[in-house]
Amino acid sequence: DRKRLRRNLPRDSDLRRLRYLGIDEVAVRRGQRYLTTVVDLERGRVVYVGEGRRTDSLEPFIRRLKRLGVELKAVAVDMWKPFAKAVRRHYRRLPLVYDVFHILADYSRTLNEIRVDQYTRLHGSFSRLIKGSRYLLLRGQETLSLPARQKLDLLLRINRPLSLAYILKEDLRRLWTLPSVLQAAAFLADWIAKALSSSIAPLRRFARKLRRHADGILNHFLFPISNARTEGINNQIKVIKRKAFGYRDL
């Protein structure tokens, strides 16, 4: 198995063809144990795996690409600082494209944080309605049944913070459908201003995070790549890991 794995490792000639990379982490053990996965987004091939999700988990590979003279066009990443830091050390001007799915998932966590906070503040029938609303708030409105939409409408009418956070969630999803980077930049600036003008602390915190990463978000309109392929491969890794239950060799 080790010999076969070594034979299948990418050679220098393979790496020199790289243009677009996807970088993401996958959990492999309990207790915050991760692997960093790098995928060639054009060919759907894993080209590197590093232990952990730190800067030094990724940097040896990026350093190797630089030494080989690989001319990357863009890299899809989430907003995890160590990955960006590793890339920036060797490719200072390389466009980072912050992945749309990670951004929306991050906002879903923010929305759920607001929901939990509202639940702890309220009592009686209102709190019971909020308790069972996680699915309603996080799913796209177009996927809900009529009874679910009616329940959601009631919830949004009686709770202003959740209503504002939900409206901004649906609004944020529109960003990646816009036809140009200029329209997207204006839309994003307006969205951030709306979120910052609220009195909801998690929402303001998320807006400040988007403002810090605005360039990488807007790079999507110049380089329309995402980590969807990387996520798919990471799911395959999880299946392999389950099948290999009992083996101790990572």
Side-chain angles (χ1 to χ4, degrees), residues 59-77:
E59 192 176 4
F61 178 71
I62 302 298
R63 193 187 307 125
R64 182 183 177 191
L65 296 185
K66 189 68 174 180
R67 189 174 66 250
L68 291 171
V70 179
E71 296 183 3
L72 296 173
K73 301 291 186 183
V75 176
V77 291

Side-chain angles (χ1 to χ4, degrees), residues 10 18 20-25 35-41 45-50 57-58 61-62 65 75 83 230 233-234:
L18 294 176
Y20 299 101
L21 297 180
I23 303 172
D24 200 8
E25 76 275 357
L35 294 177
T36 294
T37 317
V38 183
V39 171
D40 176 355
L41 293 180
R45 180 184 183 183
V46 177
V47 291
Y48 175 78
V49 178
S57 304
L58 178 62
F61 178 71
I62 302 298
L65 296 185
V75 176
F83 291 162
T230 315
I233 287 172
N234 281 346

Side-chain angles (χ1 to χ4, degrees), residues 104 108 111 134-145 148-149 152 166 169-170 173:
L104 294 177
S108 291
L111 178 53
R134 184 176 184 273
Y135 167 84
L136 299 176
L137 292 166
L138 299 187
R139 290 294 298 269
Q141 196 172 48
E142 70 281 357
T143 66
L144 297 176
S145 65
R149 286 191 188 187
L152 176 63
Y166 181 83
K169 183 205 78 167
E170 292 296 305
R173 292 172 64 204

Side-chain angles (χ1 to χ4, degrees), residues 164-229:
L164 176 60
Y166 181 83
I167 290 168
L168 286 175
K169 183 205 78 167
E170 292 296 305
D171 215 20
L172 184 61
R173 292 172 64 204
R174 290 178 49 218
L175 173 65
W176 289 272
T177 68
L178 296 173
S180 75
V181 66
L182 291 177
Q183 286 176 271
F187 183 95
L188 181 60
D190 183 59
W191 191 97
I192 291 170
K194 288 176 185 174
L196 288 175
S197 67
S198 76
S199 58
I200 306 169
L203 193 52
R204 290 166 59 86
R205 185 170 65 244
F206 182 83
R208 288 193 293 270
K209 186 176 184 179
L210 287 197
R211 187 168 60 187
R212 291 195 303 272
H213 295 88
D215 288 346
I217 295 169
L218 296 174
N219 278 340
H220 173 85
F221 295 87
L222 305 175
F223 304 94
I225 59 175
S226 77
N227 259 342
R229 204 165 197 176

